[in-house]
Amino acid sequence: MKTRTVLALLVLLAFSSLASSCPVCYGQTDSNTASAVNAGIIALLLVTGTVLSFFASLFIHLRRRYKLSLVDTSNESQRVKGS
């Protein structure tokens, strides 16, 4: 187990120069990578907002149906009492 850990550490140290940061991390906000990251963030926000709005509309729909069922039930009970 120790040999695997030491071997993994040596490999990471040997290839550490290849693991450089992206241009956004260096502060170059005009690069293509920064534009792509911004577009990805906007797309994810749109998807999340759409799902949340459908979820909220589901609860609004269920609430309206519940209120309608209460009105229908009270009308039926008044008909039974009146007959």
Side-chain angles (χ1 to χ4, degrees):
M1 185 69 173
K2 284 186 178 184
T3 56
R4 286 185 184 176
T5 307
V6 171
L7 182 62
L9 183 62
L10 288 175
V11 168
L12 286 174
L13 288 174
F15 294 108
S16 64
S17 63
L18 295 177
S20 61
S21 299
C22 63
V24 176
C25 297
Y26 285 127
Q28 296 175 349
T29 57
D30 59 339
S31 68
N32 289 337
T33 306
S35 300
V37 167
N38 288 335
I41 290 171
I42 290 171
L44 288 175
L45 285 173
L46 287 174
V47 168
T48 304
T50 303
V51 170
L52 287 176
S53 65
F54 281 127
F55 194 65
S57 66
L58 170 71
F59 281 108
I60 292 170
H61 174 72
L62 290 176
R63 182 177 169 210
R64 287 181 182 166
R65 284 188 61 187
Y66 175 71
K67 285 184 177 182
L68 285 175
S69 70
L70 289 179
V71 170
D72 290 342
T73 306
S74 65
N75 287 339
E76 288 177 14
S77 65
Q78 288 176 359
R79 282 188 223 150
V80 171
K81 290 179 184 178
S83 357

